[in-house]
Amino acid sequence: MRQILFAAVFALVLSLVGTPVLIRILAKHGYGQMIRDDGPKAHHSKRGTPTMGGIAFILATLVAYALTKVLVGTPPTASGLLVLFLMTGMGLVGFLDDYIKIVKQRSLGLRAKAKMAGQLIVGVLFAIGALNFADSAGIHPASTKLSFVTDFGWSLGPVLFALWAIFMILAMSNGVNLTDGLDGLATGASVMVFGAYVFIGIWEYGQTCGSAASAGPLCYQVRDPLDLAVVAAALMGACFGFLWWNTSPAKIFMGDTGSLALGGALAGLAICSHTEMLLAILGGLFVLITLSVIIQVGSFRMTGKRVFKMAPLQHHFELKGWSEVLIVVRFWIIQGLCVAVGLGLFYAGWVTAT
């Protein structure tokens, strides 16, 4: 369990100290955020704020994980490395998007097809890896079955599983990306979900099938649950440190570099911990904001009318006159409730089985 504490503390310190260094580097090179003209007018004052801040917490997470393994003397696991690969790969796609926005001075960045292709490549590689690297008990990082609090139903097979995994990765990465519209909103919400996965990893480790610690009829056939908790703790600490600089008024934005990386990490943790559908509840705020965009676009195309003043949802409340800080805090409360409900359902799944 020391690994979890070390990973969280190392990542927190590295992100807290490293982010202002990154801010100075980005500001020196003029890597500032482009603001869309059709967005809320209040955001125009944010033009030029350093972006690509996701670099800070991605590096903090990777370094903290490596330091923890060296200090504790345990090797990295396939599940942990796969989640870190997915985070880094999606972050790289986001970095290219951010870089093009800055260099070419256009607010849309990568072309849609190129961005989708990058996400698909990373997602496919993750899915292939997750179905390999079995441990001594024959358990792979991912299962081909669907899962809520544990696996259920029939096997999807490798092809359908890969499509399902790619859908989850795209949905979560773009969900976090849409949520990252106000200072600290996506960062703070992500901290809560990563905290939930620290708990889930610890619980699954204590109830691993075949372990003497397993106390009931429900056990978890999850490879490397403790290491997944270590990765989640590192991500939680890194985001916490970044939030110090990202909260209103933000000194730096995470950019697509950060939002795609966080979404990928969340999807990877859900897939490897066999809690895929539970993620929709744990990350309820991301789902809610994504649905607001789907509703807005669908309504406009079918009826020519808009449901919200502006989508994503947070901008609707901005145009209604809510202050940015008020929206962020209230949305954090919603996210906290989603995490509480999600963890309650996770625990209830174990209790009802016993």
Side-chain angles (χ1 to χ4, degrees), residues 179 185 189 282-290 331-332 334-335 338:
T179 304
L185 178 58
L282 292 172
L285 180 64
F286 304 127
V287 175
L288 178 65
I289 288 176
T290 301
F331 276 36
W332 279 352
I334 293 172
Q335 177 55 51
C338 290

Side-chain angles (χ1 to χ4, degrees), residues 174-199:
N174 289 293
V176 178
N177 184 254
L178 290 171
T179 304
D180 182 35
L182 299 180
D183 295 353
L185 178 58
T187 310
S190 297
V191 167
M192 299 181 204
V193 187
F194 288 131
Y197 272 107
V198 172
F199 172 84

Side-chain angles (χ1 to χ4, degrees), residues 10-22:
F10 287 154
L12 171 64
V13 173
L14 288 168
S15 183
L16 193 62
V17 174
T19 301
V21 176
L22 180 62

Side-chain angles (χ1 to χ4, degrees), residues 284-306:
L285 180 64
F286 304 127
V287 175
L288 178 65
I289 288 176
T290 301
L291 286 176
S292 74
V293 175
I294 294 172
I295 292 169
Q296 183 85 325
V297 173
S299 175
F300 186 75
R301 288 184 176 178
M302 289 188 294
T303 68
K305 297 181 180 180
R306 293 179 172 86

